[in-house]
Amino acid sequence: MSFSPERPLVLIGAGKMGGAMLAGWMARGVDPAAVLVVDPGPPPEIRELLSRHTIRLESAVPDGLKAGVLMLAIKPQMMDAVLGGLVGAVDGDTLVLSIAAGTPVARFEQTFGKVAVTRVMPNTPAQVGRGMSVAFANTATSAEQRATVDELLAAIGASAWIAREEQMDAVTAVSGSGPAYVFYLVEAMAAAGARAGLDADLAMQLARQTVCGAGELLFQSELEAAELRRNVTSPKGTTEAALKVLMAEDGIQPVFDRAVAAAKRRSEELAG
């Protein structure tokens, strides 16, 4: 990895996503002495994690420190206020890694010059080690630095790379926002169960556990999603009857098409 106690991984922001990544790194054996967290007010659970692993916490980057990896895990609206104060921590050997949605690589190049920059879109299942992260790197990013990104992202789930930064808007629409779609699916299934005569709490338990179990089966199986669907669909059975509704011309696919398109458009608007 391209960081060390002398040139640490500097994590700017230890909220939900930054904290999830930090916990994942500790679980995978990253040297706590090679990590510095910069956050003026981390939540109590992060303070406990920092204390347990003796990870250094600062409210600002110390003068004279040069980061091996500078990771920005802050809200996009905070970026303008924060970036200027980080210039001294970056040199030609620093990897700048951002998980801030909507902030393009060019914004970091304007601030830090032609240094290695990788932009990442993770999602909230990272909090339980089942995230999906997609990365885009500028041309200054070396193969070793890309490998460092892969190792850091492996701590929170799976990852993939894209060759064109403009694809990040579609990534955001599918996987960045995607967990909310699944949560809403659980709500809708539970509501349908209640309308079909089930107790509301039982309907929610059935919907929640079914989605969790199906997700785990999908995670562990080598079969394609379509094959798993076919495996549970008996000819002329109840599942087939339901799928005929969901897969109709006016069923769920066109709804998802419109939803993803709307999220993609909004991502493009926020990126400016």
Side-chain angles (χ1 to χ4, degrees):
M1 288 192 180
S2 48
F3 58 90
S4 64
E6 295 71 35
R7 291 186 61 101
L9 188 166
V10 180
L11 175 63
I12 309 296
K16 283 187 170 54
M17 192 62 69
M21 299 186 85
L22 182 63
W25 299 335
M26 293 303 101
R28 292 178 72 89
V30 169
D31 181 4
V35 178
L36 166 66
V37 174
V38 177
D39 192 317
E45 64 273 16
I46 297 302
R47 287 189 177 275
E48 191 279 329
L49 177 69
L50 297 174
S51 176
R52 179 159 27 103
H53 292 281
T54 321
I55 300 170
R56 185 178 174 189
L57 172 66
E58 300 284 354
S59 58
V61 177
D63 291 339
L65 182 142
K66 296 296 182 183
V69 176
L70 179 70
M71 181 161 191
L72 293 144
I74 57 176
K75 296 183 183 302
Q77 57 267 34
M78 299 173 59
M79 200 63 72
D80 288 341
V82 170
L83 280 186
L86 301 175
V87 173
V90 175
D91 64 14
D93 294 323
T94 302
L95 166 64
V96 177
L97 183 59
S98 170
I99 62 171
T103 305
V105 164
R107 178 70 181 85
F108 303 109
E109 292 176 338
Q110 290 167 2
T111 300
F112 301 120
K114 193 61 175 177
V115 300
V117 180
T118 295
R119 177 183 169 190
V120 176
M121 170 53 66
N123 62 11
T124 55
Q127 296 173 40
V128 293
R130 289 291 178 82
M132 182 66 218
S133 301
V134 177
F136 169 79
N138 69 354
T139 57
T141 305
S142 68
E144 179 187 2
Q145 289 168 324
R146 287 172 71 108
T148 292
V149 173
D150 285 334
E151 291 184 60
L152 293 175
L153 296 181
I156 56 169
S159 63
W161 290 85
I162 53 175
R164 304 195 317 276
E165 188 175 13
E166 60 266 26
Q167 293 178 304
M168 197 62 82
D169 296 311
V171 168
T172 301
V174 175
S175 67
S177 300
Y181 311 158
V182 177
F183 301 147
Y184 182 66
L185 173 64
V186 171
E187 294 179 72
M189 288 174 62
R195 283 192 283 269
L198 293 174
D199 174 80
D201 289 341
L202 175 59
M204 177 55 74
Q205 181 183 8
L206 294 178
R208 184 170 182 145
Q209 186 60 28
T210 297
V211 170
C212 290
E216 185 65 21
L217 177 58
L218 187 63
F219 179 78
Q220 293 191 27
S221 177
E222 295 181 357
L223 298 176
E224 297 289 336
E227 184 63 25
L228 290 170
R229 169 179 55 79
R230 286 190 288 269
N231 286 348
V232 77
T233 307
S234 300
K236 299 183 180 180
T238 57
T239 306
E240 183 183 71
L243 286 174
K244 283 182 177 179
V245 176
L246 294 174
M247 299 174 72
E249 187 174 340
D250 60 347
I252 198 169
Q253 185 61 63
V255 173
F256 266 108
D257 290 344
R258 293 196 301 273
V260 168
K264 182 173 180 286
R265 283 194 302 273
R266 184 57 178 152
S267 180
E268 292 167 344
E269 291 167 359
L270 292 174

